[in-house]
Amino acid sequence: MQYKSVFTFTSALLLVANVYALEPIHTGTVIVGSGISGLAAALDLNKYGQDVLVLEKMPFLGGTTNLAAQYFVSVNTREHQAAGKVLSVPDYLKRTEKSGRNAANLPRTAQRMYDSQKNVDWLNEKGVGLTRVISDYQLGISDGSSLGSKIMKVLAEKTKEAGIPIMTNAKVVNLIYKNGKVLGVEIEQKGGEKQEVLAKNVVLATGGFNNNQGLIAKYAPEWKGLPTTTAVSATGDGIVLAEKLKAAVKGASEVGLNPSIHSQDGINVSMSAARLEGGIMINLAGKRFCDDYYPDYTKMARQMMAQPEGKSFVIIDDKSMKASKRLQGFLKKGYFVEAPTVAELARKIGVPEKNLEETLKTYGESVRKGKDEAFGRTLNMKTDFTHPPYYASSLLPGTQVSVGGLDVNDFMQCKTIDGKIIPNLYAVGELTYDSGTPHSLWTGRKAAEHILSK
Ligand SMILES: Cc1cc2nc3c(=O)[nH]c(=O)nc-3n(C[C@H](O)[C@H](O)[C@H](O)COP(=O)(O)OP(=O)(O)OC[C@H]3O[C@@H](n4cnc5c(N)ncnc54)[C@H](O)[C@@H]3O)c2cc1C
């Protein structure tokens, strides 16, 4: 039965009078967003009998998680130990510090990295198959499938099996806040109808903000106008919603850049798999210009922008192509130029033949020696370019993930700009400070753990 209800909220922050055509929905915890962070929280809460509702603004599930390309950061897992690729958490943190990323967030990164095995087990128990050891800090899907689409396929199935309700085309447009507490959310459905969802807890799992040029201009103006590989849904809604309650934002000038965006037919895709599988980067002169697998992507993006015409290419050979289903998919879509010889590849992409031949020969020798004297690359030197055919794809730098986001405590409760907790409001995933599927999974589970402990 539909009826009209009138609610008036008198709080210092919100004073609204709304008329709703639909009855309010009541639930224990409302989760806003159906990526890995939201579904991880939903599955853990459901496992212990909690009433949960997931709201998703898009007609499909998964947001940016669907796009996660290749690797799941984790160290010292059974999988790594079996492959003899062991890296301690302190050594991983030293590398992270060198990359300059998440400088203010290292203690929380450390907690997550010590939970590497728990994260991997949680996914593998559900059938994700994260067993392929890519490097001492990276795991991939056993059969070389794309990481995010496999994770979402499995989590969507598990959510369905568990009977967790999910409303799609349900965009959260306001937080309901009364007497100093969050009491639920207001949603707008596809037809424009508004409805209230009243809940004991609200978990914002809305993802990043790189597809909102207004927020980029406000928080990270250096990168305004760059292409982005993120999902259309990554418009920072959680930040916009929580800022109305004076929520604090932390580290948002730090944007995760992608030094390997291939832009074609109006679509931006991440070619990072090509570098991961051993590819190198060259400029229009057919020469390398940087450590092609340097962990500081901000530095790499600036180096790319400094090349002639701001143009560069990634070059791989058939050994790298065969190692990755993702790259094979890109080849089928026409994102690579292919040639049987290096000289022909150079002609096809318009760089000097001799230079490219010399570049690949020198780099191949570096791989065989295990030392890249020219640029000091140490990671993923997987091919010496002796396996034709050869492939090239044009690259641009752009934004990929949001690093900064809502400031939360160790239980993922949102904080105000005065450092106070906003009661009943949690934020998880890329919406908070840091990014990547392990962070989203771990923070989603942390919020669930705290809600269960209440
Ligand atoms: C090209 C690319 C490659 C990547 N590769 C990797 C990789 O190899 N490894 C890795 O670990 N990470 C990778 N990442 C990062 C990773 O995908 C994300 O950090 C992570 O998946 C984010 O998960 P999330 O649950 O926090 O957000 P999302 O997956 O974005 O989910 C947020 C959801 O919230 C919904 N939503 C937003 N606003 C509202 C609203 N107002 N109302 C209702 N619903 C809303 C969105 O529609 C979306 O479905 C990559 C990212 C990109 C873009």
Side-chain angles (χ1 to χ4, degrees), residues 45-337:
L45 288 167
N46 169 273
K47 185 175 173 188
Y48 293 99
Q50 295 264 326
D51 200 12
V52 180
L53 171 65
V54 179
L55 300 173
E56 171 54 55
K57 71 176 174 180
M58 303 299 283
F60 53 86
L61 309 188
T64 305
T65 304
N66 291 316
L67 306 177
Q70 282 285 324
Y71 61 84
F72 190 89
V73 170
S74 48
V75 291
N76 218 355
T77 61
R78 281 188 302 277
E79 291 76 8
H80 285 103
Q81 285 165 13
K85 298 212 168 182
V86 176
L87 179 69
S88 70
V89 173
D91 284 345
Y92 172 80
L93 294 178
K94 274 186 213 148
R95 268 193 212 162
T96 308
E97 213 163 8
K98 188 180 160 202
S99 78
R101 261 187 76 175
N102 306 347
N105 200 27
L106 283 184
R108 200 160 286 160
T109 306
Q111 288 177 38
R112 167 166 59 79
M113 294 310 288
Y114 280 114
D115 280 346
S116 286
Q117 188 73 61
K118 274 194 209 163
N119 280 338
V120 171
D121 286 349
W122 192 90
L123 289 168
N124 283 348
E125 278 157 19
K126 294 174 177 52
V128 170
L130 265 182
T131 53
R132 178 180 168 232
V133 177
I134 299 175
S135 77
D136 57 8
Y137 73 103
Q138 296 165 313
L139 287 180
I141 304 292
S142 50
D143 65 359
S145 305
S146 288
L147 176 74
S149 52
K150 184 68 190 277
I151 289 178
M152 277 317 302
K153 184 172 178 287
V154 169
L155 295 192
E157 275 165 19
K158 292 291 163 195
T159 311
K160 197 172 170 192
E161 269 169 41
I164 296 171
I166 301 184
M167 284 174 75
T168 51
N169 292 311
K171 179 176 178 176
V172 171
V173 290
N174 263 312
L175 295 171
I176 299 171
Y177 184 81
K178 191 179 179 186
N179 298 332
K181 286 182 184 151
V182 171
L183 300 179
V185 299
E186 182 188 51
I187 57 174
E188 189 175 280
Q189 301 195 25
K190 209 177 172 189
E193 274 172 325
K194 290 199 173 162
Q195 188 172 20
E196 288 187 321
V197 178
L198 303 174
K200 293 192 189 84
N201 309 289
V202 173
V203 179
L204 295 174
T206 56
F209 65 89
N210 284 351
N211 241 321
N212 182 331
Q213 283 295 328
L215 286 181
I216 292 275
K218 179 174 173 185
Y219 287 114
E222 181 180 3
W223 310 111
K224 187 166 161 44
L226 285 188
T228 182
T229 53
T230 198
V232 284
S233 57
T235 46
D237 296 19
I239 293 182
V240 175
L241 292 166
E243 274 188 330
K244 292 186 206 163
L245 305 185
K246 295 198 175 157
V249 170
K250 189 174 175 186
S253 62
E254 219 184 300
V255 165
L257 293 156
N258 184 328
S260 9
I261 293 186
H262 178 76
S263 197
Q264 191 170 321
D265 307 327
I267 296 170
N268 299 322
V269 294
S270 172
M271 271 287 163
S272 59
R275 294 182 305 108
L276 183 85
E277 298 298 349
I280 60 165
M281 286 162 73
I282 58 152
N283 58 19
L284 280 179
K287 294 185 176 173
R288 288 176 74 209
F289 54 89
C290 63
D291 170 349
D292 338 76
Y293 211 82
Y294 193 65
D296 184 343
Y297 291 170
T298 306
K299 186 174 169 187
M300 282 183 78
R302 290 186 182 129
Q303 283 169 321
M304 289 171 82
M305 290 194 247
Q307 297 313 302
E309 298 179 36
K311 287 193 178 159
S312 44
F313 297 90
V314 64
I315 310 288
I316 59 169
D317 70 0
D318 208 43
K319 185 177 175 198
S320 304
M321 181 60 82
K322 287 218 165 78
S324 166
K325 282 198 177 164
R326 184 173 172 83
L327 294 179
Q328 290 158 31
F330 287 163
L331 180 64
K332 279 194 198 125
K333 287 185 175 149
Y335 297 165
F336 278 103
V337 173

